[in-house]
Amino acid sequence: MAGGGGGAAPAPKQDELTPHPVKDQLPGVSYCITSPPPWPEAILLGFQHYLVMLGTTVIIPTALVPQMGGNNEDKAVVIQTLLFVAGINTLLQSFFGTRLPAVIGGSYTFVVPTISIILAGRYANEPNPHTKFLRIMRGTQGALIVASALQIIVGFSGLWRNVARYLSPLSAAPLVMLVGFGLYELGFPSVAKCVEIGLPELILMVIFAVYLPHVIHMMKSIFDRFAVLFTIPIVWLYAYLLTVGGAYRNASPKTQFHCRTDRSGLIGGAPWIRVPYPFQWGAPTFDAGEAFAMMAASFVALVESTGAFIAVSRYASATPLPPSILSRGIGWQGIGILLDGLFGTGNGSSVSIENSGLLALTRVGSRRVVQISAGFMIFFSILGKFGAVFASIPSPIFAALYCIFFAYVGSAGFDFLQFCNLNSFRTKVILGFSFFLGLSVPQYFNEYTSVAGYGPVHTRARWFNDIVNVIFSSKAFVAGFVAYLLDNTIHRHDSSVRKDRGYHWWDKFRSYRTDTRSEEFYSLPFNLNKFFPSV
């Protein structure tokens, strides 16, 4: 008998048995997209966003510039330029693009075609490393300028709007999940490169962000809201003491590079004051094959950013993005990649996933906070030496933050399953198959590449190889593509299927005009809607 000695358990009340209500706006957010926190708090939160985006901004040039033939001075200037352009792009996106609190920063998607340009035969015989660096940089600039046209055309022509109209909560879920979870290689594997620094940062972040708010009720919102500002200085100081104390004196060069606080070479290499300007490396050079490869990366970044924008709209407690607004944001992101090409950042732009996760951690989805962080990016990119101090934070500290932020973004994908029927086998096969292939296909491509030194597609046409290898190495792209394809081809017109995939929940957001909240969250500033109406 179930109840044991005291008779049967009381029957549950009726309201306990009803499932959680469906919410098209995320509840529990302290400051939503249109409500800014008080100025002092907003400035601190903005600085925190700046610190978080520094990780990717430093890691990518640190990996690429030495391969190009550049020295520490070149590396510092590339990082400054990437920061400067990220600040401009973030402002453009938050004022004229989707208007979401999304930071637009460097993107790992563009690294593969950039490495392909570095390895191109025409640069191999250049004896002078600095001249080689300049020539390769101009080559990447040309490729980025051409590749930006893809997002500008697809976004501003409304083509992406028509694609997004067929996106349902069911096909959006695997895309958003793998936009976050698909970056697992940048999480703990990077923490473990210097585990004595990375692990304390990870543990402290969990304590400050998750446990302390429930233990100390007086300062509840301070701990989770400013967890990054509390923990980074503690672990950074600890890393500095280890460095000064000689803990790494006899360590391998690799360990020293990841663990020491004085190994980045940025503080010495950075100028005191320098304003990045277009064509600072010289006139861009163009190569058709490289431009095609960069276009493939641009297309993959477009799909990944779509998933990231959907996650950001969720954590900003806004309504789901109307397709026309999403398309507008993609167009402006294309302009961002054009600016990358003109200024010479050596890398394209997409939505920063870590900053999207920070919105969830702080529960502050305010647009103003991200605009303030863009101000910090521009300010510190011009004052090189001061910016270089923060940029010399060891990378395992950032990797520890990524473990939490990427997880938050991935978990936003689960939110969309509340609109779907999880008891339907159609839902199960689309969800499971797309998620599995999204992990499995890129795993094959990455494994093959790490063993053979080149991707599975290995023809004489290098640009074709790059296109296929770039597309199928992106977990979010594969998962999103498979889910979108299956969801729009299996019994799509069946009325019960329409409900199963959650399509009816997003009906009122398919057009900009049908829900009054869209105007509140996404309308352009300065009455620009009169000139650029959204449909």
Side-chain angles (χ1 to χ4, degrees):
M1 186 176 147
K13 296 190 193 79
Q14 191 53 44
D15 60 339
E16 283 176 9
L17 291 175
T18 53
H20 295 287
V22 172
K23 306 273 191 195
D24 50 21
Q25 281 176 267
L26 185 67
V29 173
S30 307
Y31 295 97
C32 79
I33 183 167
T34 48
S35 58
W39 275 103
E41 199 173 324
I43 289 169
L44 278 175
L45 286 163
F47 182 68
Q48 193 167 243
H49 270 283
Y50 159 73
L51 271 186
V52 166
M53 67 83 62
L54 266 181
T56 306
T57 308
V58 174
I59 289 166
I60 294 174
T62 301
L64 293 178
V65 172
Q67 292 185 58
M68 292 176 168
N71 54 22
N72 278 348
E73 281 80 11
D74 297 324
K75 184 169 78 177
V77 172
V78 172
I79 289 172
Q80 274 179 279
T81 308
L82 192 52
L83 249 187
F84 183 78
V85 177
I88 294 172
N89 286 341
T90 302
L91 287 175
L92 289 175
Q93 190 61 248
S94 65
F95 276 111
F96 308 117
T98 53
R99 307 226 60 214
L100 286 169
V103 170
I104 309 292
S107 166
Y108 291 101
T109 311
F110 292 89
V111 170
V112 173
T114 309
I115 289 175
S116 181
I117 294 174
I118 292 171
L119 300 175
R122 63 180 187 281
Y123 306 120
N125 303 326
E126 179 57 63
N128 183 339
H130 188 67
T131 314
K132 183 181 175 183
F133 165 73
L134 290 176
R135 283 184 60 197
I136 293 175
M137 187 53 106
R138 289 180 209 143
T140 55
Q141 282 182 265
L144 282 167
I145 289 169
V146 177
S148 69
L150 178 92
Q151 289 197 19
I152 292 172
I153 292 166
V154 168
F156 288 134
S157 69
L159 196 63
W160 200 245
R161 179 185 71 214
N162 296 336
V163 172
R165 286 228 163 105
Y166 293 102
L167 198 66
S168 70
L170 176 57
S171 50
L175 171 64
V176 178
M177 284 177 198
L178 285 189
V179 159
F181 298 143
L183 296 167
Y184 58 80
E185 291 160 14
L186 301 171
F188 201 82
S190 300
V191 170
K193 283 177 179 167
C194 186
V195 79
E196 59 268 39
I197 293 173
L199 201 56
E201 173 66 31
L202 184 56
I203 293 166
L204 277 177
M205 271 300 284
V206 172
I207 291 170
F208 270 88
V210 184
Y211 287 104
L212 278 183
H214 297 289
V215 177
I216 304 170
H217 293 289
M218 285 277 292
M219 302 163 73
K220 184 175 166 84
S221 63
I222 291 181
F223 286 121
D224 53 4
R225 208 164 283 172
F226 299 109
V228 175
L229 292 182
F230 282 125
T231 59
I232 284 187
I234 296 170
V235 180
W236 194 13
L237 177 67
Y238 165 63
Y240 174 73
L241 293 175
L242 284 179
T243 305
V244 175
Y248 305 115
R249 203 165 286 144
N250 303 319
S252 68
K254 208 169 185 180
T255 307
Q256 294 208 19
F257 178 75
H258 290 296
C259 297
R260 291 181 72 107
T261 52
D262 57 0
R263 267 292 170 271
S264 64
L266 291 176
I267 300 175
W272 279 101
I273 293 182
R274 183 181 186 282
V275 181
Y277 55 94
F279 309 122
Q280 54 189 352
W281 312 109
T285 57
F286 296 92
D287 176 277
E290 287 165 7
F292 277 123
M294 203 61 97
M295 261 188 178
S298 176
F299 183 58
V300 170
L302 182 160
V303 174
E304 290 174 349
S305 290
T306 298
F309 278 136
I310 293 170
V312 170
S313 69
R314 191 81 190 140
Y315 285 134
S317 194
T319 49
L321 270 165
S324 59
I325 304 297
L326 178 63
S327 205
R328 187 174 76 192
I330 294 296
W332 278 100
Q333 191 173 274
I335 289 177
I337 297 173
L338 176 64
L339 290 176
D340 286 323
L342 296 176
F343 278 84
T345 59
N347 188 247
S349 293
S350 67
V351 179
S352 161
I353 308 298
E354 52 271 35
N355 289 84
S356 312
L358 182 60
L359 297 174
L361 180 84
T362 57
R363 299 187 196 176
V364 177
S366 161
R367 189 184 291 141
R368 180 180 292 168
V369 166
V370 168
Q371 288 166 343
I372 292 170
S373 81
F376 277 116
M377 292 172 214
I378 294 170
F379 177 76
F380 281 117
S381 68
I382 293 170
L383 292 174
K385 283 271 195 265
F386 294 103
V389 171
F390 296 113
S392 63
I393 297 172
S395 60
I397 293 181
F398 287 114
L401 300 180
Y402 295 165
C403 291
I404 294 174
F405 296 149
F406 294 162
Y408 260 129
V409 173
S411 68
F414 290 118
D415 289 18
F416 302 111
L417 298 180
Q418 64 181 322
F419 305 112
C420 307
N421 177 9
L422 290 175
N423 293 322
S424 145
F425 277 97
R426 179 187 182 275
T427 305
K428 288 187 182 304
V429 71
I430 291 174
L431 196 61
F433 187 57
S434 59
F435 195 93
F436 182 82
L437 277 192
L439 293 172
S440 196
V441 174
Q443 176 68 17
Y444 164 67
F445 272 77
N446 295 338
E447 252 179 44
Y448 191 103
T449 308
S450 64
V451 174
Y454 49 80
V457 179
H458 191 58
T459 63
R460 286 225 177 110
R462 250 184 59 235
W463 59 272
F464 177 73
N465 306 343
D466 288 341
I467 288 175
V468 180
N469 294 332
V470 163
I471 286 177
F472 290 105
S473 299
S474 164
K475 299 172 184 70
F477 180 86
V478 174
F481 175 73
V482 173
Y484 186 84
L485 184 71
L486 294 180
D487 190 35
N488 283 301
T489 50
I490 306 176
H491 318 307
R492 187 163 71 96
H493 298 296
D494 201 326
S495 60
S496 64
V497 164
R498 189 180 157 79
K499 277 191 85 166
D500 286 350
R501 60 200 281 242
Y503 199 77
H504 61 299
W505 279 104
W506 281 7
D507 270 348
K508 58 176 179 287
F509 306 113
R510 295 231 180 280
S511 164
Y512 178 72
R513 299 261 171 260
T514 39
D515 193 288
T516 50
R517 292 170 295 178
S518 296
E519 181 82 35
E520 179 195 345
F521 296 134
Y522 301 117
S523 64
L524 290 168
F526 320 123
N527 277 347
L528 286 172
N529 269 26
K530 283 180 188 163
F531 309 104
F532 304 102
S534 300
V535 290

